[in-house]
Amino acid sequence: MKSATYIAKRVALVLGSWFLLHVAATTIDGLTDNAQPANCLLVLGNTVNADGTLSPRLRGRLDKALDLYRAGISPTIFVSGGLGKEGHYEGTAMRQYLVAHGVPSAAILVDNVGNTTQATARNFAATAQVRHFSSVVVVSQFFHISRTKLLLKQQQLPRIYGAHANYYELRDI
């Protein structure tokens, strides 16, 4: 008969292996950009500082979206985020940044109630249905791409691609 210690070690090994495999798969997927021409770029929000400036993480996401927009990947950018504790709507601040960098306001769709990734996926899916979008490129940090793509798949979006921001912090590990 096997001891409780032996069983506990085996369970820990299996769980640890599953965790490492999950982290590896998420990292590989998130760092493998597969942006294709799509109806829309979906940029997920992040912190807007108390003074109204964008956090470096959010600027990184928007800069990636600008690169994709300028490359002709999509004619439309959907920015999503909620009202941060700092007192600013992320979507509105993101639109202002994009407009200041040459994107026409008419090319930007703002979702100021996407305060979670799941809410953003639902809100984008509703917009996609009304506008007949069948494809999207998710733009966020590498570790956020897989989860967002999964949530969009659950919303029945047929073609979902990803592109990660070129901004990294130690906490990303």
Side-chain angles (χ1 to χ4, degrees):
M1 184 172 270
K2 296 181 181 174
S3 71
T5 303
Y6 174 82
I7 293 171
K9 286 180 181 178
R10 289 289 179 205
V11 168
L13 177 65
V14 168
L15 291 176
S17 298
W18 176 86
F19 175 77
L20 291 175
L21 184 62
H22 177 74
V23 168
T26 299
T27 300
I28 291 167
D29 181 50
L31 290 173
T32 306
D33 290 356
N34 66 342
Q36 304 280 322
N39 300 123
C40 194
L41 304 173
L42 166 58
V43 186
L44 290 107
N46 201 268
T47 305
V48 176
N49 300 315
D51 66 359
T53 60
L54 306 181
S55 66
R57 183 179 294 267
L58 184 52
R59 258 193 337 271
R61 294 175 186 187
L62 292 168
D63 289 343
K64 181 63 153 195
L66 281 168
D67 291 345
L68 295 169
Y69 177 81
R70 290 173 180 152
I73 295 295
S74 177
T76 308
I77 304 173
F78 184 95
V79 292
S80 181
L83 176 62
K85 65 182 183 219
E86 299 79 10
H88 299 280
Y89 283 100
E90 294 169 11
T92 299
M94 294 162 71
R95 173 191 287 222
Q96 291 168 346
Y97 182 86
L98 292 170
V99 168
H101 286 83
V103 178
S105 186
I108 305 165
L109 305 174
V110 177
D111 169 22
N112 273 324
V113 293
N115 57 346
T116 66
T117 309
Q118 190 168 24
T120 293
R122 275 194 313 267
N123 299 343
F124 179 78
T127 298
Q129 186 173 21
V130 169
R131 292 184 170 253
H132 307 289
F133 291 163
S134 61
S135 57
V136 63
V137 178
V138 175
V139 180
S140 191
Q141 262 41 55
F142 74 93
F143 56 81
H144 200 200
I145 301 286
S146 293
R147 179 171 185 268
T148 306
K149 286 171 27 178
L150 174 64
L151 291 168
L152 289 168
K153 282 180 190 169
Q154 291 172 349
Q155 294 295 323
Q156 309 304 314
L157 277 124
R159 293 191 328 251
I160 306 163
Y161 309 105
H164 73 285
N166 295 317
Y167 176 81
Y168 307 94
E169 294 178 301
L170 189 56
R171 72 179 182 162
D172 295 348
I173 295 171

